[in-house]
Amino acid sequence: MGDTPAERDPDRGETPLQKQDRNWTDLLQELRVLQAGIQILTGFLLTLPFQQRFTELNPVQVGIYLCLVVLSVLVTALLLSTVVMHRAFFQRRIKGNLVDSADLLLRLTLVLVGLILVGTIGLVFDLVLSGAAGAIAAVSVAVVVALLWLLLPLLLRRQALRRRTARQRRPRRERTRRTKGGRR
């Protein structure tokens, strides 16, 4: 199944199973990058209560801090859930389900990581400068994250689709010119 030319991906020449394997490998690489980053961020957050100034936090700052810790732990759990799913799906011939489920979890993880980044920068600026500086920093980072994680990929995807469409149309035009001109 998937070995005939008609069943292969026209761009890469992959069978459906090979494509699932490649997609799973790509997801694992993304998860590794996220895991390292979230471990560092979680470690940073977990050390804060042991700092002398932590006792000076007002109730809002403590609430923000605790929300960030909970989000960080949730991200860790989501990242680890892909490993659990891999174990549960292992050798059951349902890699497509695994890839689709891991993709969904990774997207949810990215949303939570974005919230953690925004909240952490806001809290740090609040503690170091002021509440207003924290709010400005958080909003600024939220805008940058939205631009980099949402708008930029959308623009790049549209640009790639336009190029692909243009490439696919070129051979048709050339074939049409050849047959209209009497050459074959």
Side-chain angles (χ1 to χ4, degrees), residues 37-48:
I38 203 62
Q39 284 175 334
I40 291 167
L41 192 52
T42 302
F44 164 73
L45 289 170
L46 293 176
T47 63
L48 288 180

Side-chain angles (χ1 to χ4, degrees), residues 16-34:
L17 187 57
Q18 289 170 327
K19 185 175 182 176
Q20 289 172 358
D21 287 340
R22 180 178 49 81
N23 287 341
W24 177 245
T25 302
D26 291 349
L27 274 167
L28 287 178
Q29 293 302 324
E30 294 168 11
L31 290 167
R32 285 184 183 113
V33 170
L34 266 173

